[in-house]
Every structure is written in C-alpha cells, then in structure tokens.
Amino acid sequence: QTVVACNATQNYTFAINAAGCPTITFTNTVVISPNAIVGTAYSLNGGATASSGTLAYAVSPALPAGLTLNGTTGAISGTPTAATASATYVVTAQTSVSCTATQSYTFTVNVAPVCPSLPTLTLAPAVASAGTLVRATVGAAYSQQFTGTGVTGTYTYSITTPSSVLSAIGLSFNNATGLLSGTPTLSTSLTFVVIATNVGGCANAPVPYTLVINPPSITSVDNSLANLVKVSPNPSSSDFNVDFGTINMIKSSVRVYDAQGKVVFTSENNSNLMTISLDKFANGIYLLEVKTTNGRITKRLAKQ
C-alpha cells in the first residue's frame, strides 16, 4: 500500500516588538477645555508624543458638527455649526504596535452671544510695555489683577496657561476675581491670554501677555537674620558649611538658587549645622534662601 503525504500551507505575518510599550504623553492635559462658539473657528490641541514610534489618533464619541479630529496630529479643529450641551470627548493615541493612551477633553458648543460691544481688560499694575506685564522676582510676592470692563454684568475669568504649570512655579490664577498671584520659585517667561466673560457670554478679544520672572537678587542679600548665619568656606570650590547659630531651625526649609533662578539644592532642615555641596555645578554666584519661623534669610554663596 502506498502512503501519500498531503500537505497544506498558510502564511502568517507578525512583528517581534521590544518588551513593553513606549511612553505616550499628551501635551494638553487640561480636561475642562475652552468652550466653542457656533460659527467661530475653534481649535484644541489633543496631540501627544511617544518615546518611540509614530502615533495615530481617534476620538469617541463623535465630535460636534463642524469639528474634526486630525488623525495624524491629534488636533481638534473646525467651525461648529450647532450648539451642544457639555460633553466629554476621549482622544486615543495609538502606536503602530497597538500601544495606546487616552486623554479626556470636556467642552460645550455655545450659541454666539449678542454683544453690544466687547469687554476690555484693565490691569493693575498697568503693563510695563505693550503686552508685557510688570516683572516678577523669584522669592518675592507677586500680584497682577485683570478686570473686565465695558460691558455690564458679573465676570468670570480664564487663563490659557494650565494651573499645573502656574503652581509648579509658585503662582495661581483666581477664575472668579481675575487675580494672578503668588511667590515665584523659578526664573522663567510665560506668555498667555486672559479672557473675561460676562454673564451674557461676551468676552474680550484675546491679547497675549508676557510675564518675565527674574532670578532672585544677589547683589544685596544680607539682613539682620542673615548676619547670624555663618558660611565657611565662602568662596568655596565645592562644599559650604552653614552654621545657623541661635536661629530656630525647626521646620525650616533651605534652598539654593543659581543666577538664573533655578533651584540647585533643597532640604527640609531641622539642624543648626549643615553642609551644602555644589561640586556638580558651575562656578559663579548662588543664593542661599532659608525660610524659618523667624523669617526669611538670604545669603550669597560664591563657588570658584
């Protein structure tokens, strides 16, 4: 008896991926997003970055009529054609190897308000120059008041810089009063738009403002408390030994800033003796800041 071998074949295509998924980070993580207006162009950044690979985007549920999602960039844009109630839209970013991340955005499409005129913003203090606010300084209390005027009714306020960004540098924005305030902790520059909207939905034209935060002053830093603080050696090529003497250091905080206002050393200190090492940092002038129950102490350090 003859045995006949019968064979069949099937091709399969697959990829061997590196272990784990790449990190996917959305650029805009503000869930409560600016509202849209019927007949007015609208855009919302729903894009993300991935530590490797390219991203494609989808959204659910379907966007309001007139708005579309760019499947390559994640941007939501268009001109809404009808009003909608507040809804949450989930943008999904997916890599070519089916790794995904999601981000929610909540907004409303409103009917365009009938405004006899547009509100304007008054600022206290006034801008230093066109579009530029009076500068802030690291470690010094700052306050900038935005007030809607020109159209009657109670105003609410919004700012385009996320609250997480503001809080990270020591500032906050009050949506009920329009006050930007706080004590900056980082030397940087911010550009943002503040919108004042009255109860009828009338809002000022968007005007960008720039706030520059200067580094802490290092030209005159000694004060009565600082005279009790002894630093040796100073100048130093690496370590600074700090003796706080009779100052009560319980629940104190210690920071060192470079000339650009960046924090290079921080400590929650309970001891009256400590060593600060700056061996990993460039030569130059640094500012030692100590906050205690007695007050704020500042001292200049010279690394060479």
Side-chain angles (χ1 to χ4, degrees):
Q1 181 177 358
T2 302
V3 178
V4 179
C6 299
N7 298 310
T9 62
Q10 174 64 49
N11 294 327
Y12 296 95
T13 300
F14 61 93
I16 300 176
N17 298 321
C21 284
T23 301
I24 302 174
T25 304
F26 277 86
T27 303
N28 179 6
T29 58
V30 181
V31 175
I32 305 301
S33 302
N35 291 328
I37 297 175
V38 173
T40 300
Y42 182 79
S43 64
L44 177 66
N45 180 11
T49 58
S51 57
S52 64
T54 57
L55 295 172
Y57 298 88
V59 64
S60 179
L63 293 169
L67 296 180
T68 59
L69 174 77
N70 187 310
T72 302
T73 67
I76 295 173
S77 61
T79 301
T81 59
T84 65
S86 178
T88 298
Y89 305 93
V90 179
V91 174
T92 299
Q94 178 174 307
T95 68
S96 57
V97 292
S98 299
C99 295
T100 62
T102 60
Q103 175 64 47
S104 299
Y105 302 102
T106 300
F107 61 90
T108 302
V109 179
N110 296 319
V111 175
V114 178
C115 300
S117 61
L118 293 181
T120 58
L121 284 178
T122 60
L123 282 69
V127 293
S129 59
T132 302
L133 304 177
V134 174
R135 293 191 173 207
T137 301
V138 170
Y142 180 79
S143 177
Q144 177 67 62
Q145 179 67 58
F146 297 87
T147 304
T149 59
V151 177
T152 58
T154 303
Y155 286 89
T156 57
Y157 300 85
S158 62
I159 189 170
T160 53
T161 297
S163 59
S164 58
V165 173
L166 293 176
S167 62
I169 60 173
L171 297 176
S172 64
F173 184 77
N174 191 314
N175 297 100
T177 65
L179 178 66
L180 176 66
S181 62
T183 301
T185 59
L186 179 67
S187 176
T188 187
S189 176
L190 297 175
T191 299
F192 51 81
V193 171
V194 173
I195 299 295
T197 307
N198 82 334
V199 291
C202 300
N204 60 283
V207 175
Y209 294 101
T210 297
L211 170 63
V212 175
I213 302 176
N214 291 328
S217 172
I218 59 175
T219 56
S220 178
V221 296
D222 279 349
N223 52 40
S224 58
L225 281 175
N227 290 332
L228 301 176
V229 179
K230 307 300 181 184
V231 180
S232 64
N234 189 17
S236 171
S237 61
S238 177
D239 294 345
F240 296 82
N241 299 311
V242 186
D243 184 348
F244 295 99
T246 60
I247 297 173
N248 181 7
M249 292 301 292
I250 295 177
K251 295 183 179 180
S252 65
S253 63
V254 179
R255 287 185 174 184
V256 176
Y257 300 89
D258 65 14
Q260 286 71 48
K262 180 181 178 181
V263 176
V264 298
F265 176 89
T266 182
S267 173
E268 299 298 323
N269 185 57
N270 291 317
S271 172
N272 280 64
L273 296 172
M274 71 181 306
T275 298
I276 296 172
S277 178
L278 298 180
D279 61 327
K280 296 181 180 179
F281 300 98
N283 294 343
I285 301 299
Y286 293 80
L287 182 72
L288 168 66
E289 178 192 63
V290 185
K291 292 183 179 179
T292 75
T293 54
N294 303 92
R296 177 175 174 266
I297 305 163
T298 52
K299 197 91 172 175
R300 185 170 58 184
L301 306 178
K303 181 178 183 293
Q304 62 182 25

